[in-house]
Amino acid sequence: MANVFGGFFIGPVVSYFLSALLLKERISVPRTVLLLVSFVGVVLVVRLGYGMSIGMGFAILAGCFHGSYLVATRWLAGAYRPRFLLLSQLVIGAVLLAPFAIGPLPTVTAPIAGLITISALGSAAGNMLLVLVNRTTPAGVVAPLIYSQLLAAMVFGWVIFGQWPDGISLLGLGVIMAAGASSVWFAGRER
């Protein structure tokens, strides 16, 4: 599970450079170097060309989409009400993903319905917070905050799936976490 998160963490790099290109947000040498170092960590985790799976490819693609989403949210956050942006994101996401839900549905029990509800509410709350923070904060500053998910991914992967990252993956995850935290620190000093 932590390995997939590692692939997904290409998102902050995409967001950082897209926000500079499309939104003309300021980039700095230290933060650029740190994001490139975090990309090295991603490469250590996903092992491009060695042990790379189709699932890891989807994780990287999801990270690219997430980085693009952060830039688009920053672009629109000042022009529309937060609740409108949140509702439009949820509706568009539901419509685009609905075709993939066609097929046999599992039996929905009370515990499964509860978990789905908690997941949906957590996702909506997280998206709302992203919309609100993007009204005042550049996308390149917001994006590295996603690195805080690393610890949760490692713990959940171990507790739920009995998987713990190997040494190279742990090294890559450590590089990603250190570079992400340092990038947020530099962003704070630049403001």
Side-chain angles (χ1 to χ4, degrees), residues 82-147:
R83 286 182 298 218
F84 173 78
L85 282 177
L86 175 65
L87 184 61
S88 65
Q89 291 168 359
L90 296 176
V91 169
I92 291 168
V95 168
L96 289 176
L97 293 175
F100 298 105
I102 296 173
L105 295 175
T107 304
V108 178
T109 62
I112 290 176
L115 290 172
I116 291 170
T117 301
I118 290 169
S119 176
L121 292 175
S123 177
N127 284 351
M128 182 61 130
L129 290 173
L130 278 173
V131 167
L132 292 172
V133 77
N134 272 304
R135 293 174 72 96
T136 59
T137 309
V141 174
V142 173
L145 297 175
I146 196 171
Y147 294 135

Side-chain angles (χ1 to χ4, degrees), residues 2-74:
N3 290 4
V4 172
F5 270 80
F8 179 75
F9 287 146
I10 191 72
V13 176
V14 170
S15 175
Y16 181 73
F17 289 113
L18 267 181
S19 65
L21 179 69
L22 300 175
L23 304 178
K24 307 299 184 219
E25 291 183 356
R26 193 168 66 96
I27 61 173
S28 68
V29 172
R31 291 186 55 228
T32 301
V33 168
L34 287 167
L35 278 171
L36 294 175
V37 167
S38 72
F39 181 73
V40 170
V42 170
V43 170
L44 284 171
V45 172
V46 301
R47 296 185 189 117
L48 295 173
Y50 173 74
M52 177 81 168
S53 66
I54 188 75
M56 192 58 72
F58 281 124
I60 292 170
L61 185 62
C64 290
F65 285 145
H66 188 262
S68 301
Y69 156 77
L70 290 173
V71 173
T73 300
R74 171 70 175 154

